Structures are given as structure tokens and as C-alpha cells.
Amino acid sequence: MDAGRLARLRNREIGFVFQFHHLLPELNALENTMMPALIARYSKKKAAGMAREVLVKVGLERRMTHRAGELSGGEQQRVAIARALIMSPKLILGDEPTGNLDWLIGQEIADLLLQLNRDEGVAMVIATHNHKLAEKMSKKMELIDGGIL
């Protein structure tokens, strides 16, 4: 694929959850979540509606107008997850998606990811040190000393 088609594929079909969030500090939670939809050329009104919906799913309905620096690490992680989910991707690539969350919120996010897999067929590749999260996955691979078990 050429660079443009590859970028569109990543934007529309793959949701990325980075370990270190990569939120834009000058934007609030809603605006950060809207970015993939705006890049896909959705209207601001449509992108905002999509972002609100997914932020509610991750429990941030009361923090939408807070800038990234005003959010806790766990809230920033949930914004990153919402941003990954906004385009209803077919694949989610997650690097420690629950790593900065407390136990209860981590369980809720894990359940949301599993529901997306079960109900909507979203495929996931999740890298985690969280054994409880890994145990919930239908397939598991363990990387030990550079080898896959």
C-alpha cells in the first residue's frame, strides 16, 4: 500500500492503546478522543458525538472538558482507550492497556474490551504483565527470554 492508504487503514481499522498515552496536552479529554475522527474528516459535531459516547463507555463522562494534565494517570489511560475505540476498529493493539488503572477500573476496561471482542468481533493483540487480564483472553502467548511459549 502507498503511504496514504496505509495511514487511512491505521486510522479507520486499527485502534492503538499506547502504554504512555500520547495525549496532546493542550487538548481536553473530548478533543483528544475526537482526533482519529477528525483525521478521518468527520465533522466536528459528529466527531464530538462519537467521542462523548465512547468516553461514557470508559467512565469519563464528568471529565470530558479537563485537559490531559488535569487528569490522573488512570484517567489519561482511559482517554487513550477511548481514542483507540472511537473509530470502531476491527483490531486493537494494546500495550499495557490497564497498566495505569486501579483494580476496579482495570476490570471494567478489561470487560469492555472482551465485550467488544465477543459482541462485535474486534480482534485484539494485548501486551501485558497483568496476569489477571491475560487469563481473561481466549488465546495467550508468553514471551520468556525472547521466545514465545
Side-chain angles (χ1 to χ4, degrees):
M1 282 186 209
D2 66 33
R5 284 189 64 202
L6 193 54
R8 282 188 296 282
L9 174 79
R10 283 191 299 263
N11 175 255
R12 291 179 172 92
E13 306 292 335
I14 303 172
F16 296 90
V17 182
F18 301 102
Q19 185 173 8
F20 296 108
H21 325 307
H22 298 290
L23 300 180
L24 299 172
E26 62 276 7
L27 302 182
N28 64 33
L30 182 70
E31 294 162 338
N32 266 289
T33 303
M34 290 169 57
M35 287 308 296
L38 294 173
I39 290 167
R41 302 189 190 280
Y42 286 88
S43 71
K44 283 186 180 181
K45 182 178 179 179
K46 171 99 171 139
M50 294 165 63
R52 281 187 193 92
E53 185 177 311
V54 74
L55 285 165
V56 168
K57 283 184 181 180
V58 298
L60 289 177
E61 56 276 358
R62 293 191 170 119
R63 305 290 283 168
M64 290 186 199
T65 60
H66 289 78
R67 290 182 187 233
E70 299 170 331
L71 301 171
S72 71
E75 290 169 336
Q76 290 178 28
Q77 183 74 30
R78 287 187 279 163
V79 171
I81 291 166
R83 183 183 56 202
L85 299 178
I86 191 171
M87 297 300 291
S88 300
K90 293 179 181 172
L91 171 65
I92 294 174
L93 300 176
D95 182 9
E96 296 288 357
T98 61
N100 292 309
L101 303 177
D102 65 42
W103 185 86
L104 181 60
I105 298 295
Q107 293 298 310
E108 290 174 4
I109 294 301
D111 291 343
L112 173 63
L113 294 173
L114 291 167
Q115 179 185 0
L116 289 169
N117 173 256
R118 184 181 56 249
D119 297 349
E120 298 179 28
V122 177
M124 294 177 208
V125 177
I126 306 291
T128 186
H129 290 95
N130 181 336
H131 293 287
K132 289 187 186 273
L133 175 60
E135 285 303 315
K136 291 181 176 221
M137 300 296 142
S138 59
K139 283 189 155 190
K140 296 167 267 315
M141 290 185 239
E142 195 168 2
L143 182 64
I144 297 178
D145 297 329
I148 296 176
L149 299 178

